[in-house]
Amino acid sequence: MKLSITDHRRDIFEKKYVYPVVSRRAKGLSLGINLNTNNACNWQCVYCEVPNLTRGKPEPIDVDLLENDLNFWLKEILEGDFLAKHTEPGTMLRDIAFSGNGEPSACPEFGDVIDRVLNQLELNHLNEKIIIRLITNGTHLSENYVQTAWKKILGKKEIWFKIDSGDLEKIKIINQINLTQNQIKKNLESAIQISPTLIQTCLIKMNGELPSDDEIQKYIDLIKPHEKKLQAIHLYSMARPSEQKINLKIERLTEAEINLIADKMKSLNVPISTFN
Ligand code: SF4
């Protein structure tokens, strides 16, 4: 079986915490770490591809098992024939990404997990060769345990910070969470303090409508004060179907529609990459 960008199931290789995926935005193979094995998240995004998603916190992590899983996959990829068997020619391991079935930074053992990941990078001579990424909705980034944990990473790292809209009313609908401008600002500044940070924005059509010009302007206004400190903005749409039951028709944008929105954001002094 070949991995593809349209199949990100976490369970096809029977390891609890670590799973390989081919990622369009990581531009290669990504080893995902799932800290939310109970499918619990503090948000409930309408496009979320996690089956049986519930609101809540992650269950306790078995950090020994997690490190064993990571060691297994690194050996398969670096010393075995996994890449040749399961990916297209030329695919390379690009990152280790905290990207699971919920918000990874909600995990109280986050610091211990980072220690184990750093240990495996050291043992497998991967320091400075691959990047550690945190794919996050940002809600716990100002908390001490996350700040302390992320600062331990002295090599390559990035935080991919989710902002799907600049309009708080739209955030309520898309992410099903009540946020204030100040909370978003505080979380984003907390990310920027500890890491190179980029914004990830999943664009969707709701009941046939694209994000309006007014909504795009609110997004620009939200990002503008931070633009000099951001690495990039990733604009994309759903790659896989939503697993959520919602009373809303949601659809992915075409490449041309994403590019049109990117064009409307060009007053932002941040590199914008689009993915289709
Ligand atoms: S933040 Fe991520 S895991 Fe949580 S509901 Fe949204 S898309 Fe799903």
Side-chain angles (χ1 to χ4, degrees), residues 60-119:
I61 303 289
D62 179 341
V63 285
D64 289 333
L65 180 59
L66 185 148
E67 186 170 3
N68 283 345
D69 284 2
L70 183 56
N71 181 52
F72 168 86
W73 278 117
L74 289 173
K75 294 276 179 279
E76 285 288 307
I77 292 163
L78 300 172
E79 297 167 19
D81 58 1
F82 179 82
L83 286 177
K85 265 190 178 162
H86 295 289
T87 68
E88 296 300 330
T91 305
M92 290 171 65
L93 176 63
R94 295 293 183 191
D95 70 15
I96 290 176
F98 290 97
S99 170
N101 290 358
E103 171 52 36
S105 69
C107 165
E109 300 94 342
F110 195 61
D112 292 343
V113 173
I114 295 282
D115 288 340
R116 301 304 185 101
V117 170
L118 292 174
N119 189 41

Coordinates of all heavy atoms in Angstrom, one line a residue, residues 60-119:
P60 N -4.1 9.9 29.7 CA -2.7 9.8 30.1 C -1.8 9.1 29.0 O -2.3 8.2 28.4 CB -2.6 9.1 31.4 CG -4.0 9.2 32.0 CD -4.9 9.3 30.8
I61 N -0.6 9.6 28.9 CA 0.3 9.1 27.8 C 1.3 8.1 28.4 O 1.9 8.3 29.5 CB 1.2 10.2 27.2 CG1 0.3 11.3 26.6 CG2 2.1 9.7 26.2 CD1 -0.4 11.0 25.4
D62 N 1.5 7.0 27.8 CA 2.5 6.0 28.2 C 3.8 6.4 27.4 O 4.0 6.1 26.2 CB 2.1 4.6 27.8 CG 3.1 3.5 28.1 OD1 4.3 3.9 28.3 OD2 2.7 2.3 28.2
V63 N 4.6 7.2 28.1 CA 5.8 7.8 27.3 C 6.8 6.8 26.9 O 7.5 6.9 25.9 CB 6.5 9.0 28.1 CG1 5.6 10.2 28.1 CG2 6.8 8.6 29.5
D64 N 6.9 5.7 27.7 CA 7.8 4.6 27.3 C 7.4 4.0 25.9 O 8.1 3.8 25.0 CB 7.9 3.5 28.3 CG 8.6 3.9 29.6 OD1 9.5 4.8 29.5 OD2 8.3 3.4 30.7
L65 N 6.1 3.7 25.9 CA 5.5 3.1 24.7 C 5.7 4.1 23.5 O 6.0 3.7 22.4 CB 4.0 2.8 24.9 CG 3.3 2.1 23.7 CD1 4.0 0.8 23.2 CD2 1.8 1.9 24.0
L66 N 5.4 5.4 23.8 CA 5.5 6.4 22.7 C 7.0 6.4 22.2 O 7.2 6.4 21.0 CB 5.1 7.8 23.3 CG 5.1 8.9 22.2 CD1 4.0 9.9 22.7 CD2 6.4 9.6 22.1
E67 N 7.9 6.4 23.1 CA 9.3 6.4 22.6 C 9.6 5.1 21.8 O 10.3 5.2 20.8 CB 10.3 6.6 23.7 CG 11.7 6.7 23.2 CD 12.8 7.1 24.2 OE1 12.5 7.3 25.4 OE2 13.9 7.3 23.8
N68 N 9.1 4.0 22.3 CA 9.3 2.7 21.5 C 8.7 2.8 20.1 O 9.3 2.4 19.1 CB 8.7 1.5 22.2 CG 9.5 1.1 23.4 OD1 10.7 1.4 23.5 ND2 8.9 0.3 24.3
D69 N 7.5 3.4 20.0 CA 6.9 3.6 18.7 C 7.7 4.4 17.8 O 7.9 4.1 16.6 CB 5.5 4.3 18.9 CG 4.4 3.3 19.4 OD1 4.7 2.2 19.7 OD2 3.3 3.8 19.5
L70 N 8.2 5.5 18.4 CA 9.0 6.4 17.5 C 10.3 5.8 17.1 O 10.7 5.9 15.9 CB 9.3 7.7 18.4 CG 10.1 8.8 17.6 CD1 9.4 9.2 16.3 CD2 10.3 10.0 18.5
N71 N 11.0 5.0 18.0 CA 12.2 4.3 17.7 C 11.9 3.3 16.5 O 12.7 3.2 15.6 CB 12.7 3.6 18.9 CG 14.0 2.8 18.6 OD1 14.9 3.4 18.1 ND2 14.0 1.5 18.9
F72 N 10.7 2.6 16.7 CA 10.4 1.6 15.6 C 10.3 2.3 14.3 O 10.9 1.8 13.3 CB 9.0 1.0 16.0 CG 8.4 0.2 14.9 CD1 8.7 -1.2 14.7 CD2 7.5 0.7 14.0 CE1 8.2 -1.9 13.6 CE2 6.9 0.0 12.9 CZ 7.3 -1.3 12.8
W73 N 9.6 3.4 14.2 CA 9.4 4.0 12.9 C 10.7 4.6 12.3 O 10.9 4.6 11.1 CB 8.3 5.1 13.0 CG 6.9 4.5 12.9 CD1 5.9 4.5 13.8 CD2 6.4 3.7 11.8 NE1 4.9 3.8 13.4 CE2 5.1 3.3 12.1 CE3 6.9 3.4 10.5 CZ2 4.4 2.5 11.3 CZ3 6.2 2.6 9.7 CH2 4.9 2.2 10.1
L74 N 11.5 5.2 13.2 CA 12.7 5.8 12.7 C 13.6 4.7 12.1 O 14.2 4.9 11.1 CB 13.4 6.6 13.8 CG 12.8 7.9 14.2 CD1 13.4 8.5 15.4 CD2 12.7 8.9 13.0
K75 N 13.7 3.5 12.8 CA 14.5 2.4 12.3 C 13.9 1.9 10.9 O 14.6 1.6 10.0 CB 14.5 1.2 13.2 CG 15.2 1.6 14.5 CD 16.7 1.4 14.4 CE 17.5 1.7 15.7 NZ 17.8 3.1 15.9
E76 N 12.5 1.8 10.8 CA 11.9 1.3 9.6 C 12.2 2.3 8.4 O 12.5 1.9 7.3 CB 10.4 1.3 9.7 CG 9.8 0.2 10.5 CD 9.9 -1.1 9.8 OE1 9.4 -1.2 8.7 OE2 10.4 -2.0 10.4
I77 N 12.2 3.6 8.7 CA 12.4 4.6 7.7 C 13.9 4.8 7.3 O 14.3 4.8 6.2 CB 11.8 5.9 8.1 CG1 10.3 5.8 8.2 CG2 12.2 7.1 7.2 CD1 9.6 6.9 9.0
L78 N 14.8 4.8 8.4 CA 16.2 5.1 8.1 C 17.0 3.9 7.7 O 17.9 3.9 6.9 CB 16.8 5.7 9.4 CG 16.2 7.0 9.9 CD1 16.8 7.4 11.2 CD2 16.4 8.2 8.9
E79 N 16.5 2.7 8.2 CA 17.3 1.5 8.0 C 16.6 0.4 7.2 O 17.2 -0.5 6.7 CB 17.8 0.9 9.3 CG 18.7 1.8 10.1 CD 19.0 1.4 11.5 OE1 18.7 0.2 11.9 OE2 19.4 2.3 12.3
G80 N 15.3 0.5 7.2 CA 14.5 -0.5 6.5 C 14.0 -0.1 5.1 O 14.6 0.9 4.6
D81 N 13.1 -0.8 4.6 CA 12.6 -0.5 3.2 C 11.3 0.2 3.2 O 10.5 0.1 2.2 CB 12.6 -1.7 2.3 CG 11.7 -2.8 2.9 OD1 11.1 -2.6 3.9 OD2 11.7 -3.9 2.3
F82 N 10.9 0.8 4.3 CA 9.5 1.4 4.3 C 9.3 2.5 3.2 O 8.3 2.5 2.6 CB 9.3 2.1 5.7 CG 8.0 2.7 5.8 CD1 6.9 2.0 6.2 CD2 7.8 4.1 5.6 CE1 5.6 2.6 6.2 CE2 6.6 4.7 5.7 CZ 5.5 3.9 6.0
L83 N 10.3 3.4 3.0 CA 10.1 4.4 2.1 C 9.9 3.8 0.7 O 9.0 4.2 -0.1 CB 11.3 5.4 2.1 CG 11.3 6.4 3.2 CD1 12.6 7.2 3.2 CD2 10.1 7.3 3.3
A84 N 10.7 2.8 0.3 CA 10.6 2.2 -1.0 C 9.3 1.5 -1.2 O 8.7 1.6 -2.3 CB 11.8 1.2 -1.2
K85 N 8.8 0.9 -0.1 CA 7.6 0.1 -0.3 C 6.3 0.9 -0.2 O 5.3 0.6 -0.9 CB 7.5 -0.9 0.9 CG 8.0 -2.3 0.7 CD 7.6 -3.1 1.9 CE 8.0 -4.5 1.8 NZ 8.0 -5.1 3.1
H86 N 6.3 2.0 0.6 CA 5.1 2.7 0.9 C 5.0 4.1 0.4 O 4.0 4.8 0.7 CB 4.8 2.6 2.4 CG 4.6 1.3 2.9 ND1 3.4 0.5 2.6 CD2 5.4 0.4 3.6 CE1 3.5 -0.7 3.2 NE2 4.7 -0.7 3.8
T87 N 6.0 4.6 -0.3 CA 5.9 6.0 -0.8 C 6.4 6.1 -2.2 O 7.1 5.2 -2.7 CB 6.8 7.0 0.1 OG1 8.1 6.7 0.0 CG2 6.4 6.9 1.6
E88 N 6.1 7.2 -2.8 CA 6.6 7.4 -4.2 C 8.1 7.6 -4.2 O 8.6 8.1 -3.2 CB 5.8 8.6 -4.8 CG 4.3 8.5 -4.9 CD 3.9 7.3 -5.8 OE1 4.7 7.0 -6.8 OE2 2.8 6.7 -5.6
P89 N 8.7 7.3 -5.3 CA 10.2 7.5 -5.4 C 10.6 8.9 -5.0 O 9.9 9.9 -5.4 CB 10.6 7.2 -6.8 CG 9.4 6.3 -7.3 CD 8.2 6.7 -6.5
G90 N 11.6 9.1 -4.3 CA 12.1 10.5 -3.9 C 11.5 11.0 -2.7 O 12.0 12.1 -2.2
T91 N 10.6 10.3 -2.1 CA 10.0 10.8 -0.8 C 11.0 10.7 0.3 O 11.7 9.7 0.5 CB 8.7 10.0 -0.4 OG1 7.8 10.0 -1.6 CG2 8.0 10.6 0.8
M92 N 11.1 11.8 1.1 CA 12.1 11.8 2.2 C 11.4 12.1 3.5 O 10.3 12.8 3.5 CB 13.1 12.9 2.0 CG 14.1 12.5 0.8 SD 15.1 13.8 0.4 CE 16.1 14.0 1.9
L93 N 11.9 11.7 4.6 CA 11.4 12.0 5.9 C 11.7 13.5 6.2 O 12.8 14.0 6.1 CB 12.1 11.2 7.1 CG 11.7 11.6 8.5 CD1 10.2 11.3 8.7 CD2 12.5 10.8 9.5
R94 N 10.7 14.3 6.4 CA 10.8 15.7 6.6 C 10.7 16.2 8.0 O 11.4 17.2 8.4 CB 9.7 16.5 5.8 CG 9.8 16.3 4.3 CD 11.1 17.0 3.8 NE 11.2 16.9 2.3 CZ 12.2 17.2 1.6 NH1 13.3 17.6 2.2 NH2 12.2 17.0 0.3
D95 N 9.8 15.6 8.8 CA 9.5 16.1 10.1 C 9.0 15.1 11.0 O 8.5 14.0 10.6 CB 8.6 17.4 10.1 CG 7.2 17.1 9.7 OD1 6.8 15.9 9.7 OD2 6.5 18.1 9.4
I96 N 9.0 15.5 12.3 CA 8.2 14.8 13.4 C 7.2 15.8 13.8 O 7.6 16.9 14.2 CB 9.1 14.3 14.5 CG1 10.0 13.2 14.1 CG2 8.3 13.9 15.7 CD1 11.0 12.7 15.1
A97 N 6.0 15.5 13.6 CA 4.9 16.5 13.8 C 3.9 16.1 14.9 O 3.3 15.0 14.8 CB 4.2 16.8 12.5
F98 N 3.8 17.0 15.9 CA 2.7 16.7 16.9 C 1.4 17.1 16.2 O 1.1 18.3 16.0 CB 3.0 17.6 18.1 CG 4.1 17.1 18.9 CD1 5.4 17.7 18.8 CD2 4.0 16.0 19.8 CE1 6.4 17.2 19.5 CE2 5.0 15.5 20.5 CZ 6.3 16.1 20.4
S99 N 0.7 16.1 15.8 CA -0.5 16.4 15.0 C -1.4 15.2 15.1 O -1.3 14.2 14.4 CB -0.1 16.6 13.5 OG -1.2 16.6 12.7
G100 N -2.2 15.2 16.1 CA -3.0 14.0 16.4 C -4.5 14.2 16.3 O -4.9 15.0 15.5
N101 N -5.2 13.4 17.0 CA -6.7 13.4 17.0 C -7.2 14.4 18.0 O -8.2 14.1 18.7 CB -7.2 12.0 17.2 CG -6.9 11.1 16.0 OD1 -6.3 11.5 15.0 ND2 -7.3 9.8 16.1
G102 N -6.6 15.5 18.1 CA -7.0 16.6 19.1 C -5.9 17.5 19.2 O -4.9 17.5 18.5
E103 N -6.0 18.4 20.2 CA -5.0 19.4 20.4 C -3.8 18.9 21.2 O -3.9 18.5 22.4 CB -5.6 20.6 21.2 CG -4.6 21.7 21.6 CD -3.7 22.2 20.5 OE1 -4.2 22.3 19.4 OE2 -2.5 22.5 20.8
P104 N -2.6 18.7 20.6 CA -1.5 18.1 21.2 C -1.0 18.8 22.5 O -0.6 18.2 23.4 CB -0.4 18.0 20.1 CG -0.8 18.9 19.0 CD -2.3 19.1 19.2
S105 N -1.0 20.1 22.5 CA -0.4 20.9 23.6 C -1.3 20.8 24.9 O -0.9 21.3 25.9 CB -0.2 22.3 23.2 OG -1.4 23.0 23.1
A106 N -2.5 20.1 24.7 CA -3.4 19.9 25.9 C -2.8 18.8 26.8 O -3.4 18.6 27.9 CB -4.8 19.7 25.5
C107 N -1.8 18.1 26.3 CA -1.3 16.9 27.0 C -0.4 17.3 28.1 O 0.6 17.9 27.9 CB -0.6 16.1 26.0 SG 0.5 14.8 26.6
P108 N -0.8 17.0 29.4 CA 0.1 17.4 30.5 C 1.5 16.8 30.5 O 2.4 17.4 31.1 CB -0.7 16.8 31.8 CG -2.1 16.5 31.3 CD -1.9 16.2 29.8
E109 N 1.7 15.7 29.8 CA 3.0 15.1 29.7 C 3.8 15.6 28.6 O 4.8 15.0 28.2 CB 2.9 13.5 29.6 CG 2.2 12.8 30.7 CD 0.7 12.6 30.4 OE1 0.2 13.4 29.5 OE2 0.0 11.8 31.0
F110 N 3.4 16.8 28.0 CA 4.1 17.3 26.8 C 5.6 17.4 27.0 O 6.4 17.1 26.1 CB 3.5 18.7 26.5 CG 3.7 19.2 25.2 CD1 3.4 18.5 24.0 CD2 4.4 20.4 25.0 CE1 3.6 19.0 22.8 CE2 4.7 20.9 23.7 CZ 4.3 20.2 22.6
G111 N 6.0 17.9 28.2 CA 7.5 18.1 28.4 C 8.2 16.7 28.4 O 9.3 16.6 27.8
D112 N 7.6 15.7 29.0 CA 8.3 14.4 29.0 C 8.3 13.8 27.6 O 9.3 13.2 27.2 CB 7.4 13.4 29.8 CG 7.5 13.7 31.3 OD1 8.4 14.5 31.7 OD2 6.6 13.2 32.0
V113 N 7.3 14.1 26.8 CA 7.3 13.6 25.4 C 8.3 14.3 24.6 O 9.1 13.6 23.8 CB 5.9 13.8 24.8 CG1 5.9 13.5 23.3 CG2 4.8 13.0 25.5
I114 N 8.5 15.6 24.8 CA 9.6 16.3 24.1 C 10.9 15.7 24.4 O 11.8 15.5 23.5 CB 9.6 17.8 24.4 CG1 8.3 18.5 23.9 CG2 10.8 18.5 23.9 CD1 8.2 18.8 22.4
D115 N 11.2 15.4 25.7 CA 12.4 14.8 26.1 C 12.7 13.5 25.3 O 13.8 13.2 24.8 CB 12.4 14.4 27.6 CG 12.5 15.7 28.4 OD1 13.0 16.7 27.9 OD2 12.1 15.6 29.6
R116 N 11.6 12.7 25.2 CA 11.8 11.4 24.5 C 12.0 11.6 23.0 O 12.8 10.8 22.4 CB 10.5 10.5 24.7 CG 10.2 10.2 26.1 CD 11.3 9.5 26.8 NE 11.0 9.1 28.2 CZ 10.7 7.9 28.6 NH1 10.7 6.9 27.7 NH2 10.4 7.6 29.8
V117 N 11.4 12.5 22.4 CA 11.6 12.8 21.0 C 13.0 13.3 20.8 O 13.7 12.8 19.9 CB 10.6 13.9 20.5 CG1 11.0 14.3 19.1 CG2 9.2 13.3 20.5
L118 N 13.5 14.2 21.6 CA 14.9 14.7 21.5 C 15.9 13.5 21.7 O 16.9 13.5 21.0 CB 15.1 15.8 22.5 CG 14.4 17.1 22.3 CD1 14.6 18.1 23.4 CD2 14.8 17.7 20.9
N119 N 15.6 12.6 22.6 CA 16.5 11.5 22.8 C 16.5 10.6 21.5 O 17.6 10.2 21.1 CB 15.9 10.6 24.0 CG 16.8 9.5 24.4 OD1 18.1 9.7 24.4 ND2 16.3 8.3 24.6

